Amino acid sequence: MNDRRTVFKTLRDLGIRLTPQRILILDILRKGNAHMGVEEVHAKARTRFPYIDIATVYRTLHLMKKIDVVTEVAIGERLHFELTHPDRKHHHMVCTCCGKAFNLAPEYLERFGEQIHRDFSFEPDVRNFTIKGKCSLCADKFEKSDSIL
Amino acid sequence: MNDRRTVFKTLRDLGIRLTPQRILILDILRKGNAHMGVEEVHAKARTRFPYIDIATVYRTLHLMKKIDVVTEVAIGERLHFELTHPDRKHHHMVCTCCGKAFNLAPEYLERFGEQIHRDFSFEPDVRNFTIKGKCSLCADKFEKSDSIL
DNA sequence: TTAGTATATGCAATTGTTCGCAACAGAATA
DNA sequence: TATTCTGTTGCGAACAATTGCATATACTAA
């Protein structure tokens, strides 16, 4: 799975160097129990490694995303990331009203993706897929005071 | 539908003012036959209205998106927009490899959205929904020279 | 252990997007 | 038509994210 050791091996096998910065960032994501913002990761990293630059955090997170070690989650406006757990994969439904995120079992999108592939031979990447919308609570609120703007 | 006159009426009814800048931007989108980037819209607008600011373009496009007059399309990294045609609505499949965009009939996502709503009482906003992935051509290319990075 | 090399980093500069604010200008009213 | 009210604009500054470049460092092979 994506425990420390396995990830390190994955990186080595791909010729990606194991720098202290990268190890630190991965450890921070592992300890953070949910998706984290870039600034959040950077702040935590600085407490142990004061000279780490935000650019390094961005570069590392994007690299890890490319090799599927972390997953990008579209929460709010800014980028958020979390470690990819193959055994508890899930997608997200984010309420654009209150910002809360709900997990979604992977089958929903997988079935959907397979259908797209069958019909168009387009291979959708459902890994980083976030559904935006309104949660039931906010939908209720809206019905009463429904200002569109 | 979304012809000039109807849009103007929609804006008035919502208390949104009809400024020359907004009219210009809408006309540019109408003439542009597909989705356009923000900078592209700004450049075109300047030829007729040299002092228009890029911030106004951004604000106008976001406003029009909120009232469903334009649709945001996630092509590449930057924001793209197109006029919403209720009679020829579609979603997009964008190839992350070659950047090409393919249209997708609306039923696919509508059925999917309805299911989500039934199962979780979460109301997904499928209006601005872009599916990223790999088109069949790029998938073929990739099989031969599959470098992951 | 050391030397050599390609990759990764920190820093500064850049790009794309948004925001705050004073001045301006639609639209409703008289 | 003149007046008033409020939404909108342009400008400059702020912010988030990315990039170029010179230096530093992880890894490989000897």
Side-chain angles (χ1 to χ4, degrees):
Chain A
M1 304 298 101
N2 264 342
D3 61 296
R4 242 168 157 260
R5 187 156 314 195
T6 319
V7 170
F8 289 178
K9 190 178 176 325
T10 308
L11 300 187
R12 275 239 184 65
D13 290 351
L14 288 167
I16 294 173
R17 290 189 186 158
L18 258 141
T19 65
Q21 292 92 330
R22 285 175 176 170
I23 294 171
L24 179 53
I25 289 169
L26 286 171
D27 282 348
I28 286 169
L29 282 182
R30 180 165 296 107
K31 275 167 205 156
N33 38 358
H35 38 77
M36 297 176 79
V38 177
E39 195 51 64
E40 203 180 343
V41 175
H42 184 219
K44 282 212 165 76
R46 272 171 117 161
T47 65
R48 283 213 267 153
F49 204 118
Y51 293 111
I52 192 170
D53 195 83
I54 187 94
T56 303
V57 178
Y58 276 106
R59 282 189 282 231
T60 301
L61 290 171
H62 282 139
L63 177 64
M64 297 301 147
K65 175 189 163 190
K66 212 181 295 187
I67 61 175
D68 213 15
V69 167
V70 312
T71 300
E72 188 182 327
V73 189
I75 305 284
E77 308 300 309
R78 316 218 189 102
L79 303 179
H80 282 240
F81 296 87
E82 64 185 22
L83 269 201
T84 307
H85 292 284
D87 46 324
R88 40 192 160 111
K89 249 187 195 159
H90 60 270
H91 297 96
H92 297 91
M93 300 185 287
V94 177
C95 180
T96 49
C97 203
C98 66
K100 226 174 275 167
F102 306 86
N103 290 351
L104 178 66
E107 297 83 43
Y108 276 87
L109 281 168
E110 272 159 20
R111 268 206 306 276
F112 178 71
E114 279 159 20
Q115 194 191 350
I116 297 280
H117 191 201
R118 269 200 308 280
D119 295 356
F120 305 101
S121 15
F122 184 92
E123 286 177 19
D125 177 10
V126 293
R127 285 176 309 174
N128 308 307
F129 220 88
T130 299
I131 298 169
K132 298 186 182 185
K134 223 179 287 165
C135 72
S136 52
L137 265 116
C138 288
D140 285 350
K141 268 186 242 157
F142 235 56
E143 258 171 46
K144 284 155 200 161
S145 70
D146 64 317
S147 63
I148 299 174
L149 303 180
Chain B
M1 306 298 97
N2 264 342
D3 60 296
R4 244 169 156 257
R5 186 155 317 193
T6 319
V7 169
F8 290 179
K9 190 176 175 328
T10 308
L11 299 187
R12 275 237 185 67
D13 291 351
L14 288 166
I16 294 171
R17 289 190 188 158
L18 251 126
T19 64
Q21 291 93 330
R22 286 175 176 170
I23 294 171
L24 179 53
I25 289 170
L26 285 171
D27 281 347
I28 287 169
L29 282 182
R30 181 164 296 107
K31 274 166 206 156
N33 39 359
H35 37 78
M36 299 176 77
V38 176
E39 195 50 63
E40 204 179 344
V41 175
H42 185 218
K44 283 213 164 75
R46 272 171 117 160
T47 65
R48 284 213 268 152
F49 204 116
Y51 293 111
I52 193 170
D53 195 84
I54 187 95
T56 302
V57 178
Y58 275 105
R59 282 188 283 231
T60 302
L61 290 171
H62 282 137
L63 177 64
M64 297 301 146
K65 176 189 164 190
K66 212 181 294 185
I67 60 174
D68 213 13
V69 167
V70 312
T71 300
E72 188 182 326
V73 190
I75 306 285
E77 308 300 308
R78 316 219 189 102
L79 302 179
H80 281 240
F81 296 86
E82 65 186 18
L83 269 201
T84 308
H85 291 284
D87 46 323
R88 38 192 162 111
K89 250 187 195 158
H90 59 271
H91 297 96
H92 297 91
M93 299 184 289
V94 177
C95 179
T96 49
C97 200
C98 66
K100 227 174 274 168
F102 306 86
N103 290 350
L104 178 65
E107 298 83 44
Y108 278 87
L109 281 168
E110 270 157 22
R111 267 206 305 276
F112 177 70
E114 278 158 22
Q115 194 191 350
I116 296 280
H117 191 201
R118 268 200 309 280
D119 295 355
F120 306 100
S121 13
F122 185 92
E123 287 178 19
D125 177 10
V126 293
R127 286 176 306 173
N128 308 307
F129 220 89
T130 299
I131 297 169
K132 299 187 182 185
K134 222 179 286 166
C135 73
S136 51
L137 266 117
C138 288
D140 285 351
K141 266 186 244 155
F142 234 57
E143 257 170 48
K144 283 154 201 161
S145 71
D146 62 318
S147 62
I148 297 175
L149 302 181

